[in-house]
Amino acid sequence: MRKICLIGIGAGDPDHLTLQAAKAIGRTDVFFVLDKGEAKQSLVDLRERIIRGYSKPTRKIVEGRDPDRDRTPADYEGTIADWRSRRALVVEELILEHLKEDQQGSLLVWGDPGLYDSSIAIVQEVLARGNVEFEYEVIPGISSVSALAAKHRVPLNRVGRPFQVTTGRRLAEGWPDGVDDVVVMLDAQQAFTAHPDAQIYWGAYVSTPDEILRSGRVSEVADEIVTTRQEARDHHGWIMDTYILKRDA
């Protein structure tokens, strides 16, 4: 039977690759890569660098076009569900066309497949359609959250206290109840600016050669982060950033 591996490859540094991930790459017959367009070619390049470093000579790399999606939808959850289904169709076609019954195919996933990534749901949707059968395995990776905390040399939680991972959309609705430490991902609106007394530990392109780090009291560094973020986005054509907010307990 076909086998699919979802391999977490870390936040951008090739040294983030775990031994388990390297072994899975070495077993892979076909790598599936979703092309995100010219602006994000550097992401594809890094994946292919990792593949060349750890895969067997006979492996194949096949690309599918990652479907576009509305970045400012009125119905966020519905738009994401539709986008995920269209991605699942692309992956299904790649499996059917390029993966033989006794082979292993893999997708290299940024960070960890279990944290704010759609790969697991996509594979499950492909299976649910019933057009192709396969087993699948998920291999964890170093997430952008872990990488960011390490870069700033701060813990995510305090002794005996929880922390929460959320999105900019949720933070804009108010600080989460019951926590003083919040990790925020997917924040295009810079919701941190509404919390001037908190400490922020911000990073963009963490663990890549383009890494940018900023930290301090929000009231003191918010303007700099907003400006830096926009300049980086304009320069690269895209941005991948995360931050930690800590308020006085």
Side-chain angles (χ1 to χ4, degrees):
M1 180 180 287
R2 296 178 176 98
K3 181 174 182 179
I4 300 295
C5 252
L6 305 178
I7 306 173
I9 59 173
D13 186 340
D15 288 345
H16 283 176
L17 205 67
T18 65
L19 184 57
Q20 184 184 20
K23 289 179 177 179
I25 290 172
R27 295 192 301 267
T28 298
D29 300 293
V30 182
F31 292 92
F32 304 117
V33 177
L34 295 184
D35 180 8
K36 296 178 178 294
E38 185 177 348
K40 295 189 178 181
Q41 184 59 40
S42 59
L43 300 181
V44 175
D45 291 343
L46 179 56
R47 280 192 176 97
E48 292 182 348
R49 176 183 167 190
I50 290 173
I51 291 169
R52 287 194 301 270
Y54 295 94
S55 65
K56 56 190 177 184
T58 56
R59 89 291 187 261
K60 290 188 349 184
I61 302 174
V62 296
E63 292 189 10
R65 178 64 180 175
D66 198 3
D68 295 327
R69 70 176 176 91
D70 184 357
R71 296 289 171 174
T72 56
D75 177 10
Y76 180 79
E77 292 186 4
T79 299
I80 294 299
D82 173 70
W83 177 58
R84 183 179 293 167
S85 291
R86 287 185 287 122
R87 297 184 96 198
L89 278 173
V90 174
V91 171
E92 181 180 299
E93 290 172 1
L94 291 175
I95 293 171
L96 285 169
E97 183 175 352
H98 298 284
L99 194 66
K100 297 177 182 178
E101 286 291 338
D102 59 345
Q103 289 185 323
Q104 174 177 305
S106 294
L107 290 104
L108 304 188
V109 179
W110 290 110
D112 183 274
L115 181 64
Y116 281 91
D117 183 82
S118 61
S119 300
I120 296 175
I122 286 171
V123 166
Q124 291 173 341
E125 183 165 336
V126 172
L127 277 175
R129 287 183 179 142
N131 296 323
V132 57
E133 292 185 358
F134 55 83
E135 299 174 342
Y136 73 96
E137 178 182 6
V138 178
I139 295 176
I142 295 175
S143 71
S144 62
V145 174
S146 297
L148 179 67
K151 290 289 184 176
H152 281 291
R153 298 176 296 179
V154 295
L156 291 170
N157 68 299
R158 288 174 244 196
V159 175
R161 296 284 293 161
F163 73 97
Q164 185 171 126
V165 181
T166 188
T167 66
R169 291 176 63 253
R170 295 296 187 186
L171 183 65
E173 298 170 359
W175 192 283
D177 293 334
V179 296
D180 295 310
D181 305 275
V182 182
V183 178
V184 183
M185 308 177 74
L186 309 175
D187 185 8
Q189 56 193 328
Q190 291 96 72
F192 60 84
T193 56
H195 305 282
D197 294 331
Q199 289 282 339
I200 186 169
Y201 301 89
W202 176 84
Y205 317 108
V206 174
S207 299
T208 76
D210 298 312
E211 176 181 276
I212 309 170
L213 300 173
R214 297 289 187 272
S215 64
R217 187 76 62 180
V218 170
S219 59
E220 298 171 355
V221 300
D223 290 345
E224 180 187 2
I225 292 175
V226 170
T227 300
T228 300
R229 187 183 190 279
Q230 187 59 53
E231 290 174 347
R233 185 181 182 88
D234 291 343
H235 176 71
H236 295 284
W238 61 281
I239 191 162
M240 186 163 52
D241 62 332
T242 308
Y243 59 86
I244 304 165
L245 284 180
K246 292 179 173 287
R247 66 181 182 185
D248 296 335

